[in-house]
Amino acid sequence: MGKTYSKQEVIDQAKELAKMIAETEEVDFFKRAELQINENLKVQETIAKIKSLQKEAVNLQHYQKTEGLKAVEDKIDALQDELDEIPLVKEFKQTQTDVNSLLQLVSTTISNTVTDEIIKSTGGDLLKGTTTKSPFDSHGC
């Protein structure tokens, strides 16, 4: 069997991996897009309107004003659609998707590799995904 690592050593390596991820092209694009979003007046004004309407919607819902609530929700949807059509916002959302995909890929890779290492270290079958030879798999009497 190979070297045994402490939980702290694994966490330290995870922090190193996180630093590497933070320095990828995907994260760099995300940071630049976020900066542009934060500096764009039209985007910020639209977001502020949406937040204000969302507060109004909560109040209307609390007081069970269903007609008013529906009207406010329609305004929110229209503003959200308007926001989503801004090229800068589309780019920002794409960078979010790219970063999330990278994180998902890393997570899946770690999970699959841990599983494969467990199977190999217990003399299991990688193709079947089993950790030990099953007594039920006998091929003869």
Side-chain angles (χ1 to χ4, degrees):
M1 213 159 146
K3 180 181 183 327
T4 302
Y5 296 94
S6 71
K7 188 189 306 185
Q8 189 57 52
E9 288 173 311
V10 172
I11 289 170
D12 291 343
Q13 287 297 308
K15 288 178 181 177
E16 278 302 310
L17 180 58
K19 287 178 186 174
M20 288 174 65
I21 292 169
E23 294 174 12
T24 61
E25 205 172 273
E26 291 85 351
V27 172
D28 187 52
F29 285 145
F30 173 80
K31 288 189 285 191
R32 283 188 281 147
E34 185 176 40
L35 189 61
Q36 288 178 325
I37 286 276
N38 290 335
E39 293 175 347
N40 186 292
L41 190 59
K42 179 171 176 40
V43 171
Q44 291 307 309
E45 286 175 348
T46 306
I47 290 171
K49 286 178 193 172
I50 290 171
K51 286 181 179 180
S52 175
L53 287 169
Q54 286 171 333
K55 287 179 184 176
E56 188 178 334
V58 169
N59 286 332
L60 290 168
Q61 188 174 25
H62 177 73
Y63 293 109
Q64 299 176 347
K65 305 280 186 178
T66 53
E67 287 179 28
L69 178 59
K70 173 78 173 103
V72 169
E73 286 175 340
D74 289 346
K75 286 180 188 175
I76 292 170
D77 290 343
L79 283 170
Q80 189 63 56
D81 290 344
E82 183 183 313
L83 192 62
D84 289 342
E85 287 306 310
I86 298 172
L88 185 59
V89 174
K90 285 181 181 179
E91 182 182 317
F92 177 71
K93 286 187 172 192
Q94 183 58 51
T95 65
Q96 282 182 311
T97 300
D98 294 345
V99 170
N100 284 337
S101 294
L102 174 61
L103 292 172
Q104 187 61 49
L105 177 61
V106 169
S107 176
T108 300
T109 302
I110 291 170
S111 177
N112 290 344
T113 304
V114 168
T115 299
D116 290 351
E117 290 300 316
I118 290 170
I119 291 170
K120 284 192 273 186
S121 72
T122 59
D125 185 335
L126 276 175
L127 293 176
K128 290 182 181 176
T130 55
T131 54
T132 57
K133 294 186 172 116
S134 172
F136 303 109
D137 281 346
S138 59
H139 294 288
C141 294

